[in-house]
Amino acid sequence: MTQDELKQAVAKAAFDYVESKLEDDMILGVGTGSTANFFIEELGKISDRLEGTVASSEETARRLKSHNIPVFDLNSAGQIAIYVDGADESNAHLQLIKGGGAALTREKILAAASKEFVCIADASKMVGVLGEFPLPVEIIPMARSYVGREIVKLGGDPVYREGCVTDNGNHILDVYNLDILDPRQLERDLNQITGVVTNGLFAQRGADILLLGTADGVETRRAEPLS
Ligand code: 5RP
């Protein structure tokens, strides 16, 4: 199976999961990226049965609306029942790296505001130790050099993502060469740097369920407990 076919398979599995739990007044959170886009296509089939969604990016909002799916502002939506989104990496504890599509801040807000976070990914995203994928950090533009120097002190090699402006009007540093042995601690340390909006580690609030697309089918994984 190609990577896109695996992404399609997990998107369909997430759709089946959401449909099985669908209730009146239920608000869904919808993520950003190619895997989330396949999920949006599935969701379009039941647009008339959906109370509404909250989108993690302007691009996702546009796609949802093109399928006649109502999109609400989070402030008027209240708690989200289920948030479905992809990831750039996951470990066995379902701690994630996200932000390859530069939507990490809104994605993190939706994950925090949701009862349940269902992550959808193809098997290539599963890793032993997070950090092979460069960790995205959203920063206030004027703080770029300062934040970069502070990240070097933490052992990372930050690279400015040229030409990228987030939906919040900010910039992204992609941090290479991090061996992320304690994702929760690094998530906190990075967020302590003045000028950082947030970083792409989803460790304090990781996923509740991972639907992983493999050559043998879609596996449902739950977080292995932290020792
Ligand atoms: C966007 C993200 C995406 O979930 C992540 O980049 C995975 O993308 P894809 O589904 O295209 O592989 O975090 O900010």
Side-chain angles (χ1 to χ4, degrees), residues 164-183:
C164 175
V165 178
T166 70
D167 286 346
N168 312 307
N170 297 317
H171 292 169
I172 298 280
L173 294 176
D174 290 306
V175 186
Y176 288 78
N177 300 323
L178 288 170
D179 256 351
I180 307 179
L181 299 174
D182 188 346

Side-chain angles (χ1 to χ4, degrees), residues 3 7 31-37 56 83 85-89 97-104 107 120-122 125 133 161 202:
Q3 195 179 23
K7 289 180 179 189
T32 298
S34 55
T35 320
N37 289 345
S56 67
Y83 174 48
D85 197 359
D88 298 301
E89 280 185 355
I97 287 183
K98 291 185 47 55
L104 61 158
E107 292 174 338
I120 49 177
D122 65 86
K125 308 289 182 70
F133 190 90
R161 199 183 293 182
F202 285 53

Side-chain angles (χ1 to χ4, degrees), residues 49-201:
R49 289 166 54 204
L50 282 177
E51 176 70 16
T53 58
V54 178
S56 67
S57 64
E58 299 297 335
E59 170 62 16
T60 289
R62 193 188 59 70
R63 280 177 185 263
L64 287 164
K65 287 176 190 164
S66 77
H67 285 85
N68 298 315
I69 298 170
V71 180
F72 297 138
D73 184 284
L74 179 61
N75 294 312
S76 52
Q79 194 182 36
I80 296 166
I82 306 175
Y83 174 48
V84 179
D85 197 359
D88 298 301
E89 280 185 355
S90 174
N91 66 18
H93 309 293
L94 307 196
Q95 298 171 315
L96 313 172
I97 287 183
K98 291 185 47 55
L104 61 158
T105 299
R106 295 187 187 194
E107 292 174 338
K108 203 175 260 199
I109 293 167
L110 287 197
S114 301
K115 242 192 220 162
E116 191 175 23
F117 176 9
V118 177
C119 184
I120 49 177
D122 65 86
S124 71
K125 308 289 182 70
M126 200 72 207
V127 297
V129 176
L130 297 172
E132 182 78 21
F133 190 90
L135 178 65
V137 179
E138 179 163 351
I139 51 156
I140 300 292
M142 72 167 285
R144 186 181 79 220
S145 299
Y146 168 72
V147 172
R149 289 194 295 275
E150 293 301 302
I151 288 174
V152 169
K153 289 183 196 164
L154 292 175
D157 295 325
V159 174
Y160 174 48
R161 199 183 293 182
E162 294 280 347
C164 175
V165 178
T166 70
D167 286 346
N168 312 307
N170 297 317
H171 292 169
I172 298 280
L173 294 176
D174 290 306
V175 186
Y176 288 78
N177 300 323
L178 288 170
D179 256 351
I180 307 179
L181 299 174
D182 188 346
R184 286 177 178 225
Q185 188 60 49
L186 184 63
E187 183 177 6
R188 275 193 292 268
D189 289 347
L190 285 168
N191 283 344
Q192 286 301 321
I193 301 172
T194 304
V196 167
V197 178
T198 199
N199 68 83
L201 274 170

